[in-house]
Amino acid sequence: MIEFKNVSKVYDNGSVALDDVCLTINEGEFVLICGHSGAGKSTLFKLLTHEVVPDSGTVIVDDFDVTRMKRSKIPKLRRKLGVVFQDFRLLPNKTVSENIAFALEVIEEKPKVIKEKVSHVLELVGLTDKANDLPEDLSGGEQQRVAIARAIVNRPSVLIADEPTGNLDPDTSKGIVDLFKHINNFGTTVIMVTHNMDLVSYLNKRVIRLKDGRVQSDNMRGAEINEA
């Protein structure tokens, strides 16, 4: 479970990113976080991964109190989280398989286990035949699938995606969010930050809409939300 209890965050320049935000995301949910630029979406994302901490309030991720955790516990928290970005963030000189394997090498997983897990996620994202290709040889959609495979190879309980379709065309975007739905069906909690209202309607999932750092609405069906 993920919980924000009265969370506020003001940056040094005086910008109010979040203002007394309260929300709960249950295990296995698929939730969309929406809002215009500056609404607080990215700060919400960074609070989950402990890139920033709130000025007040509490952030809970599974059994971790993210706001009060010791620095030594941060790696353990992040192993529970798979993170996907808009710009893919692949290592250009490593193959598809090597990019995915890297996420396991940094936690010193055994080579045999790495090989098995990489093979499994490549099949899951439909890129088995691209295992030895470099990122530059892939389309944008294929690169994002590699990024997703890397994010889930360690079987995180929560998958967070920050504008994962921002650089992709509409048809490719639908393919990517369909993959997120598939991953969610295995029980992984999925939190997707997006401003693409066409995808919000297409997914028809719970939508938490932020405006000026506050929760403006929280609807169980994305189709009920119209961009203001």
Side-chain angles (χ1 to χ4, degrees), residues 20 42 54 62 163 172 177 204 213 220 222-223 225:
D20 198 33
S42 294
D62 285 349
E163 300 283 3
T172 304
V177 297
N204 198 31
M220 295 307 296
I225 297 280

Side-chain angles (χ1 to χ4, degrees), residues 78-137:
R78 290 178 177 168
R79 283 191 205 111
K80 287 180 169 283
L81 306 173
V83 183
V84 180
F85 300 95
Q86 178 177 337
D87 56 359
F88 317 138
R89 303 194 185 185
L90 300 179
L91 300 168
N93 297 321
K94 289 185 178 290
T95 66
V96 167
S97 285
E98 289 168 344
N99 263 280
I100 299 168
F102 185 73
L104 297 170
E105 290 167 356
V106 296
I107 61 171
E108 301 181 347
E109 185 60 273
K110 295 177 181 177
K112 181 181 178 181
V113 175
I114 292 175
K115 184 177 181 181
E116 291 173 352
K117 287 187 174 182
V118 170
S119 176
H120 173 72
V121 294
L122 279 173
E123 183 177 355
L124 180 65
V125 302
L127 289 177
T128 301
D129 60 336
K130 303 287 185 179
N132 297 316
D133 289 3
L134 291 172
E136 65 181 15
D137 300 321

Side-chain angles (χ1 to χ4, degrees), residues 41-69:
K41 304 188 303 295
S42 294
T43 298
L44 201 76
F45 181 99
K46 291 176 181 178
L47 285 165
L48 289 171
T49 58
H50 203 277
E51 289 181 61
V52 299
V53 294
D55 297 317
S56 61
T58 303
V59 179
I60 304 293
V61 178
D62 285 349
D63 297 325
F64 291 97
D65 182 344
V66 179
T67 45
R68 294 170 179 81
M69 69 191 313

Side-chain angles (χ1 to χ4, degrees), residues 2-78:
I2 292 169
E3 191 170 7
F4 283 66
K5 300 177 182 178
N6 306 107
V7 173
S8 295
K9 177 66 181 177
V10 180
Y11 289 108
D12 291 341
N13 63 3
S15 172
V16 178
L18 294 177
D19 182 11
D20 198 33
V21 168
C22 296
L23 61 90
T24 300
I25 297 171
N26 293 315
E27 183 179 349
E29 275 199 274
F30 192 132
V31 179
L32 300 163
I33 308 293
C34 299
H36 291 295
S37 178
K41 304 188 303 295
S42 294
T43 298
L44 201 76
F45 181 99
K46 291 176 181 178
L47 285 165
L48 289 171
T49 58
H50 203 277
E51 289 181 61
V52 299
V53 294
D55 297 317
S56 61
T58 303
V59 179
I60 304 293
V61 178
D62 285 349
D63 297 325
F64 291 97
D65 182 344
V66 179
T67 45
R68 294 170 179 81
M69 69 191 313
K70 296 178 180 178
R71 184 173 294 275
S72 61
K73 298 290 186 181
I74 296 173
K76 190 173 181 180
L77 164 73
R78 290 178 177 168

